[in-house]
Amino acid sequence: MPSSAPVDADTIYDAVIVGSGVSGSLVANELSKQGFHVLVLEAGPGEDQTIRGYEKYLSRFYEATSKDNNSPYPANPNASMPRSPAVHSLAAGQPDSSSYLVQNGPFPLDSTYTRTLGGTTMHWEGKALRMLPEDFETRSRYGQGLDWPISYDELAPHYRRAERELGVSADVQDQAELGIPFEPGYVFPMQGLPASYLDQAVAAGIDGTGVRLDGEDYHLKVRAFPQARNGIPNAAYDGGKGYVPVGAVSTHQVEQGERCQGNNNCVPLCPVQAKYHAGKTLAKALAGTVGKVDLRTQAVASRVHVDHVTGRVSHLEYKAYADPGSPEHTTHTVRARLFVLAANAVETPRLMLASGLPSSSALMGRNLMDHAYLLTWGLMPGPVGTMRGTVCTSGISDLRGGAFRHGQAAFAADIHNDGWGWAGGTPEVQVLDLVDSMNAFGPDLRRGAVDRISRQLLLAWMVELMPDPSNRITVDGRYKDALGNLKPVLSYNIADYTLAGVAQARSLSRRLFQRLGVEDHTDYRPTDVGYVSYQGEGYVIRGGNHWSGTHVMGTTPANSVVDADQRSWDHENLFLVGSGSMPSIGTSNTTLTLAALCLKSAEQMVRQLRDETSAVELATTTGSAQA
Amino acid sequence: MTLSRITTKADLQDYLHAAMQLEHATIPPYLTALYSIHPGTNSDAFHVIRVVAVEEMLHLTLAANMLNAVGGEPDMTRAGFVPRYPAYLPDGEADFEVSLERFSPTAIGTFLKIERPAQAPSEEMRVLRRPKPRAAIPAVHPDGDDGLHFWSIGEFYAEIARGIQHLHDQGVDLFTGDPSRQVTPELYYSGGGEVIPVKDLASALAAVELISEQGEGLTGSIYDEEGELSHYFRFQQLTLGRYYQAGDVANSPTGPALEVDWDAVYPLLTNATITDFPAGSEVRAAAEAFNAGYAEFLSLVNQAFTGQPDLLIPAVGEMFALRDQVGRLVRNPAPGRPGVNAAPTFDMPETTR
Amino acid sequence: MSAQTRLEPFLAFSSRVTAFTVFELQGTGQAAAYLETVVGVVGEALLGDLLSIDEAIQREADGDAAVRDRLLRARIFSDERLGPVARHIIKLWYLGTWYALPKDWHEVFGSVEDDVTFVVSAAAYAEGLVWPAIGANPPGAKGPGYGTWAMPPKIPAF
């Protein structure tokens, strides 16, 4: 297959990157631009490098009876991915190992990620938020969580580069009002996406709502989210040079590069590639002529080998398979001057732990964070055209920061243009109920569909979670996948700090629904996966797919796994990149921040590769290849 | 019409009116073929035709920009702007007609002729004085006179380029149009080529060059300056069953194989007109609704070209709605015609204003 | 009865129970595939019975919608053999999916053994009538164009 470059065992690459998602692709592109020879290993298949291949994802999605967020991507026991329908409630003390991600509890987390070319950016929604400056110093400011080793200001230039690379559409004024500083005159690459009709209806009802938290007053305003999605280019971008949006990628010319068409399907797959996915960056990297990028798909990194004298990574082992349906594979070794693990915040620590490398800090896999999502849903008084637009255009971001974070989690809310789907109330469910239970047919059915779907409002409350060493990814010799690789084992719980934010969100949701005249259909049942009780009330909490914190960055080898450049404290030629490095995630979707971090780290990698050009003594292979 | 050699600014405006009509005239045939393809099949062919159709819309926009730049007034709503098919192209190519028909080898054969490279053997042959062909599209001032006819669209644009340069050399004050009428890249992009706002000689010639190169390729190459395969060779891939790739020469693509399923196509009535469908039938009503929608769409685009460029954004939404209407038409049997399906007719009222 | 001659009564029945016109049903391009799906699971005989009863109801109701709906409920939707199939035909049109009939239905009325829930085809998903009913596109297909979501919904009258 064209995506699988033969790997020459004798080649010493400048860098080997594990993972072709957003982190790996950004690093590959940056290194290649500086003239380096890079190998990218992708565990999953790479069928989407042509439009026809991409369309296979689309038709797989169309034909799937369960349209969960990994439904477009082929089932692949050799590089499995977690899927939300596979998550069950847990009995105390009984791990659920029935699917790829072993759930050790006590809380079952239904977050997922995608193992295919382009990684989870294939199914991500595309929100591209910067973190607030205060999110970088929650320990100093609020006595909660961990401080970052770098400040917002240090990351800001990299945020700008990330916004260019991902192609972010947003209104800078709107974001500045949230307390996010931008350089004078900055505009986003593209104009903000228009608010949906539903957003406008919600805004008309709730803008100006006052909220008092911990003695301070906040006023709510519905505003559009920054999104990595093609919109109207900003003529004023880059000092008036403007911005050219990046369209679909393909190995032959299709010139499909339209702006967002409102397909209402950002998750799990944008049919026209108006949404950024890492394949766009990877395509540039592969086409680059300064350096060289080789890509090997269906190659699962299986072991990191360290030279115990120098502490450097000597080589990496991976298992290559020809057929996803068969565990038959061959084991290979690859050598490089630099190793970059960009497999995501579950797979990267899983690989390190499976390689017997828990970090001298013992923090490998720990401090796992995600966002706790509380859904509230109801029916607007009249049809508002739900099920149109991107999955989400606007929301409430005014409670992302503030002194109340001393005692409870910050939170934000998404207004979902795709209705109740996340809460299980899809149009399909409504039609089945109308036909089977309401005995509706003909005109009653059509009217019923409008009544039940076009009025839907779902708010997804994103509540922050602080790093906790006991929330973690581990491995356990009892649990292996088809290739014999150790499966990730998840231990996860939700602290009262977060639950206090959840309760606050529920209470605010009631007020907003009262203002809007929304029929509240929110319903949490003890049998639901993710049901928790807090102060006498029940809630259902879902995952946000924002896995992070598992190879946390910090200021010393004792308090962290990686330094501010995402370089391993233990192994000087090893970088662990991605959201796993983040010490906190606030109420920000993680992708833009991890992209900024990767661009920053790539600069250090380049410096390091250049400094080492004089006869680096490469450790001789010490580990023996194991099948 | 009379297309004489361009000697005055008025001549140039006439040519640019004809250019808009020409670019538009290719769109209904391309869209008809495109949406005759069964959904989910013929991915390669679908994308090849789609790209070309989208770029014709870009060319239409560029022609409007040029006409606006030289002080003309685009008018896509006047009677006769939309041809009745089968039709000759308004640049006077008289050796073939263009039909509204399903995706088929015949249709692709016509598309290849539409996009054929400029290959007239000599300067004299480039512009031929020939009798006006039957049913030629009345481009600007339908007056029945014999006029100039071009061997190809490329030759037609070569004359526009020559005319612009000539008038400029003569010291004619050409670029007198209102700059706020220009459509800018913010308002239109599709992946292939970028809208060029026309404000001076350089941008006008660049716009002409972009249209010509996207159609027929850079002289002596199958690719244009941006490395984009020209329309002619894009279509040719469908007949040769293989993609071109970088480094290839004309007629010998060496890229990946390409699959065409000529049978996965709805059997549309060729060159359907509204009276082909019985009055009172659902098909007739839907075909009429489509025509009314298309007229509204042209009117909206025309407003975008005459001072409200922002309207191009909602126009795209209108176009997608029309796409869904065509989809319903082509899957319905044409009443009283066993084995034949309905089709959009593109019959416009005498004037759509 | 051939598939072609069956198509007309199938469309007529479908139009009544979905509240979409025959033109709109044909416009999905799925009519033949849905007919084939139904026949494939429940067989010619059952569908023939259902369509014959529907035709009888039309004659009897003679254009009176209230009478027609009462008869449809009495003779088709509440019929243990025909009701589940009729409801599944509605779901086919609205969602492009064939839902497996209940096990006990199969035990009583027989027919195919491997009746499973499936999306008829990728195209069928995109042609579900629930989407035009609510004035929206099926998620992931038929994108309505940039910014259209900011406008009030166009929910078609019928």
Side-chain angles (χ1 to χ4, degrees):
Chain A
M1 82 194 285
S3 57
S4 292
V7 174
D8 180 356
D10 296 331
T11 301
I12 298 172
Y13 289 93
D14 290 317
V16 169
I17 299 171
V18 176
S20 69
V22 59
S23 304
S25 295
L26 285 169
V27 171
N29 192 35
E30 293 303 308
L31 297 185
S32 160
K33 281 197 289 191
Q34 299 303 320
F36 295 108
H37 188 192
V38 178
L39 172 69
V40 176
L41 296 176
E42 169 52 50
E47 67 182 37
D48 63 333
Q49 286 183 92
T50 60
I51 283 286
R52 225 190 308 170
Y54 195 90
E55 284 172 348
K56 257 198 240 170
Y57 287 155
L58 197 58
S59 46
R60 192 179 287 115
F61 163 76
Y62 290 161
E63 289 169 6
T65 48
S66 162
K67 291 187 163 40
D68 65 277
N69 59 13
N70 272 333
S71 57
Y73 311 103
N76 178 5
N78 293 339
S80 268
M81 30 196 186
R83 292 184 72 158
S84 44
V87 180
H88 313 292
S89 295
L90 298 173
Q94 288 181 22
D96 180 356
S97 60
S98 60
S99 58
Y100 176 65
L101 179 65
V102 179
Q103 302 259 357
N104 200 31
F107 186 87
L109 180 58
D110 65 352
S111 281
T112 66
Y113 49 84
T114 305
R115 294 174 85 185
T116 187
L117 199 71
T120 306
T121 54
M122 295 306 294
H123 90 213
W124 78 312
E125 187 196 310
K127 283 204 189 81
L129 281 66
R130 293 191 186 193
M131 286 174 49
L132 306 179
E134 65 178 67
D135 291 334
F136 292 80
E137 43 201 44
T138 56
R139 168 57 54 183
S140 325
R141 285 210 195 196
Y142 304 124
Q144 296 288 345
L146 298 170
D147 285 350
W148 285 53
I150 53 170
S151 67
Y152 171 84
D153 289 340
E154 284 168 272
L155 200 57
H158 306 290
Y159 267 135
R160 287 198 293 274
R161 292 170 63 206
E163 282 158 354
R164 175 192 283 276
E165 182 62 32
L166 271 58
V168 177
S169 298
D171 176 24
V172 72
Q173 181 58 36
D174 220 23
Q175 293 302 300
E177 282 173 20
L178 298 174
I180 301 173
F182 293 88
E183 64 176 346
Y186 183 72
V187 295
F188 283 90
M190 290 171 279
Q191 299 173 21
L193 266 75
S196 70
Y197 188 73
L198 168 64
D199 293 339
Q200 298 168 40
V202 172
I206 70 168
D207 272 0
T209 300
V211 180
R212 194 166 177 82
L213 288 177
D214 199 23
E216 286 182 17
D217 288 316
Y218 300 84
H219 293 279
L220 306 187
K221 180 186 168 192
V222 171
R223 62 185 89 226
F225 288 110
Q227 312 216 20
R229 201 180 312 291
N230 288 344
I232 298 176
N234 229 326
Y237 184 69
D238 197 9
K241 292 198 195 88
Y243 178 81
V244 179
V246 180
V249 294
S250 175
T251 50
H252 54 260
Q253 292 193 340
V254 291
E255 276 36 287
Q256 187 169 340
E258 286 165 81
R259 67 199 80 202
C260 171
Q261 299 177 342
N263 275 286
N264 203 244
N265 207 57
C266 320
V267 183
L269 183 68
C270 174
V272 294
Q273 304 191 42
K275 179 188 77 178
Y276 173 83
H277 63 82
K280 295 189 180 188
T281 297
L282 193 62
K284 280 196 276 185
L286 291 169
T289 51
V290 185
K292 187 168 184 297
V293 176
D294 296 336
L295 170 67
R296 184 90 165 91
T297 59
Q298 303 190 183
V300 189
S302 50
R303 198 170 183 89
V304 178
H305 289 270
V306 170
D307 180 305
H308 293 290
V309 178
T310 63
R312 292 171 63 96
V313 174
S314 57
H315 62 288
L316 185 86
E317 220 171 80
Y318 71 89
K319 296 176 179 177
Y321 58 93
D323 173 8
S326 155
E328 212 173 295
H329 66 276
T330 50
T331 303
H332 306 261
T333 291
V334 60
R335 295 194 295 159
R337 298 166 58 204
L338 209 68
F339 294 84
V340 181
L341 302 190
N344 80 34
V346 175
E347 291 295 327
T348 290
R350 185 203 65 73
L351 173 60
M352 290 296 284
L353 293 168
S355 304
L357 300 168
S359 163
S360 49
S361 65
L363 289 172
M364 188 72 71
R366 294 187 180 270
N367 290 314
L368 173 77
M369 289 174 285
D370 188 358
H371 286 114
Y373 272 91
L374 180 80
L375 310 182
T376 60
W377 61 99
L379 292 176
M380 294 285 280
V384 283
T386 313
M387 300 305 297
R388 300 184 310 142
T390 67
V391 162
C392 169
T393 34
S394 305
I396 300 163
S397 299
D398 307 284
L399 304 173
R400 288 178 59 193
F404 65 87
R405 292 172 84 184
H406 280 291
Q408 71 164 66
F411 58 99
D414 302 344
I415 300 167
H416 265 259
N417 291 328
D418 60 342
W420 295 359
W422 196 358
T426 59
E428 178 192 25
V429 167
Q430 305 304 327
V431 168
L432 295 184
D433 191 56
L434 281 164
V435 175
D436 286 335
S437 303
M438 301 295 119
N439 292 313
F441 65 88
D444 290 345
L445 174 59
R446 272 189 81 159
R447 277 190 290 270
V450 173
D451 192 50
R452 284 176 169 226
I453 302 167
S454 301
R455 294 167 57 207
Q456 288 185 354
L457 168 67
L458 181 140
L459 299 179
W461 299 86
M462 171 204 260
V463 187
E464 76 175 322
L465 202 100
M466 287 299 180
D468 173 349
S470 60
N471 283 344
R472 63 190 295 205
I473 296 292
T474 55
V475 291
D476 181 326
R478 287 175 295 173
Y479 307 124
K480 290 183 178 172
D481 71 8
L483 291 188
N485 290 319
L486 294 175
K487 301 205 295 190
V489 179
L490 167 71
S491 302
Y492 190 68
N493 205 2
I494 294 174
D496 281 358
Y497 179 80
T498 295
L499 291 172
V502 165
Q504 187 74 47
R506 177 67 183 115
S507 144
L508 179 56
S509 173
R510 285 202 177 92
R511 280 187 63 205
L512 300 183
F513 282 12
Q514 286 154 3
R515 282 186 78 123
L516 290 164
V518 160
E519 284 174 25
D520 198 337
H521 287 251
T522 308
D523 184 21
Y524 308 126
R525 298 182 183 190
T527 49
D528 291 342
V529 176
Y531 182 86
V532 288
S533 283
Y534 175 72
Q535 295 189 343
E537 197 171 346
Y539 305 91
V540 171
I541 292 174
R542 291 167 166 85
N545 312 318
H546 301 154
W547 308 93
S548 43
T550 49
H551 42 84
V552 68
M553 65 162 60
T555 49
T556 71
N559 70 14
S560 53
V561 177
V562 297
D563 67 14
D565 286 318
Q566 305 191 84
R567 184 169 76 160
S568 158
W569 290 110
D570 291 351
H571 317 288
E572 64 177 13
N573 66 336
L574 175 68
F575 288 76
L576 310 180
V577 302
S579 52
S581 300
M582 293 163 64
S584 71
I585 56 175
T587 43
S588 206
N589 308 57
T590 47
T591 302
L592 185 76
T593 301
L594 72 84
L597 275 177
C598 286
L599 292 171
K600 177 178 186 294
S601 295
E603 291 180 349
Q604 170 59 23
M605 294 176 202
V606 168
R607 277 193 294 273
Q608 196 164 323
L609 284 168
R610 290 218 170 114
D611 289 350
E612 287 180 351
T613 46
S614 52
V616 173
E617 195 177 327
L618 282 147
T620 48
T621 305
T622 49
S624 62
Q626 305 160 352
Chain B
M1 71 173 285
T2 305
L3 283 180
S4 339
R5 299 295 288 262
I6 297 170
T7 54
T8 66
K9 191 169 170 181
D11 290 343
L12 176 61
Q13 290 179 353
D14 284 351
Y15 263 76
L16 291 169
H17 276 291
M20 287 187 68
Q21 193 176 17
L22 169 65
E23 297 300 345
H24 171 268
T26 64
I27 292 171
Y30 288 152
L31 292 184
T32 301
L34 183 65
Y35 294 121
S36 73
I37 293 173
H38 288 178
T41 70
N42 277 314
S43 168
D44 297 307
F46 185 88
H47 285 292
V48 164
I49 302 173
R50 193 195 62 81
V51 170
V52 174
V54 168
E55 290 188 350
E56 297 302 346
M57 297 175 201
L58 171 66
H59 298 176
L60 177 65
T61 307
L62 288 168
N65 271 359
M66 285 193 276
L67 182 55
N68 272 318
V70 299
E73 179 79 8
D75 185 0
M76 299 162 58
T77 62
R78 68 173 183 278
F81 179 82
V82 180
R84 187 175 291 277
Y85 297 91
Y88 291 99
L89 291 181
D91 63 338
E93 293 175 67
D95 60 326
F96 68 96
E97 287 181 298
V98 180
S99 287
L100 298 177
E101 62 184 320
R102 67 172 177 263
F103 173 63
S104 65
T106 321
I108 297 301
T110 305
F111 297 171
L112 283 166
K113 285 182 185 153
I114 294 176
E115 305 288 353
R116 65 187 168 192
Q119 54 186 17
S122 68
E123 172 69 13
E124 289 67 42
M125 289 286 286
R126 189 162 68 77
V127 183
L128 302 173
R129 197 167 286 275
R130 283 187 294 211
K132 185 183 176 77
R134 174 180 63 84
I137 301 162
V140 183
H141 308 294
D143 56 11
D145 284 0
D146 290 352
L148 297 186
H149 303 277
F150 293 88
W151 162 257
S152 67
I153 293 177
E155 298 289 9
F156 172 73
Y157 280 106
E159 174 58 17
I160 291 178
R162 191 205 59 78
I164 291 171
Q165 185 69 56
H166 169 75
L167 293 172
H168 180 263
D169 293 346
Q170 299 294 309
V172 176
D173 187 12
L174 274 181
F175 300 98
T176 54
D178 178 356
S180 72
R181 286 190 166 205
Q182 293 294 311
V183 176
T184 54
E186 291 80 60
L187 294 170
Y188 187 103
Y189 65 91
S190 63
E194 204 178 65
V195 168
I196 300 170
V198 176
K199 55 181 192 296
D200 53 19
L201 179 70
S203 50
L205 293 177
V208 174
E209 189 174 282
L210 176 58
I211 296 176
S212 303
E213 286 186 8
Q214 280 194 334
E216 68 192 37
L218 200 60
T219 310
S221 166
I222 60 174
Y223 291 100
D224 71 9
E225 230 167 32
E226 276 72 47
E228 201 193 308
L229 192 61
S230 74
H231 292 179
Y232 180 84
F233 294 103
R234 280 179 194 272
F235 282 133
Q236 197 196 37
Q237 296 173 134
L238 299 178
T239 58
L240 297 179
R242 192 163 288 283
Y243 281 108
Y244 280 103
Q245 59 185 2
D248 283 351
V249 296
N251 310 320
S252 304
T254 66
L258 164 160
E259 292 155 26
V260 178
D261 181 356
W262 299 107
D263 295 326
V265 176
Y266 295 108
L268 308 193
L269 182 58
T270 300
N271 292 322
T273 67
I274 199 71
T275 51
D276 288 327
F277 308 128
S281 65
E282 281 189 278
V283 166
R284 172 72 170 256
E288 283 172 349
F290 170 81
N291 289 342
Y294 195 75
E296 275 174 40
F297 167 72
L298 285 183
S299 171
L300 188 60
V301 174
N302 205 64
Q303 289 176 62
F305 289 161
T306 51
Q308 301 175 72
D310 289 355
L311 290 177
L312 272 188
I313 303 277
V316 171
E318 295 299 313
M319 197 179 65
F320 286 150
L322 290 168
R323 166 201 65 196
D324 295 344
Q325 285 181 269
V326 172
R328 285 188 286 274
L329 270 174
V330 300
R331 293 168 198 159
N332 265 274
R337 295 169 189 265
V340 175
N341 279 15
T345 70
F346 293 91
D347 288 305
M348 295 295 103
E350 264 311 288
T351 173
T352 54
R353 278 220 178 97
Chain C
M1 200 184 263
S2 77
Q4 190 54 43
T5 50
R6 183 86 87 214
L7 189 60
E8 205 174 307
F10 177 68
L11 285 169
F13 170 73
S14 297
S15 174
R16 279 186 275 283
V17 295
T18 60
F20 280 87
T21 66
V22 170
F23 174 83
E24 289 167 321
L25 298 181
Q26 289 272 34
T28 66
Q30 301 305 313
Y34 291 166
L35 179 59
E36 192 184 322
T37 297
V38 177
V39 169
V41 179
V42 306
E44 287 274 354
L46 187 147
L47 183 66
D49 291 350
L50 190 156
L51 297 180
S52 312
I53 293 171
D54 177 58
E55 284 177 273
I57 290 172
Q58 298 321 307
R59 281 194 300 276
E60 211 169 315
D62 195 23
D64 184 328
V67 173
R68 185 194 67 198
D69 287 358
R70 184 170 54 75
L71 293 175
L72 280 171
R73 290 185 198 282
R75 296 184 195 168
I76 294 182
F77 285 114
S78 62
D79 183 273
E80 285 174 323
R81 176 168 168 256
L82 303 181
V85 177
R87 281 185 283 276
H88 275 34
I89 291 173
I90 298 176
K91 295 172 203 167
L92 259 183
W93 285 108
Y94 267 65
L95 300 165
T97 299
W98 174 262
Y99 294 85
L101 286 157
K103 205 160 166 264
D104 53 358
W105 187 95
H106 279 293
E107 279 165 9
V108 178
F109 303 111
S111 82
V112 296
E113 284 169 12
D114 56 344
D115 182 17
V116 292
T117 296
F118 67 100
V119 179
V120 170
S121 66
Y125 162 75
E127 294 298 336
L129 292 174
V130 64
W131 311 112
I134 62 168
N137 62 295
K142 299 187 181 185
Y146 184 84
T148 50
W149 53 82
M151 310 291 167
K154 291 178 184 164
I155 295 170
F158 61 95

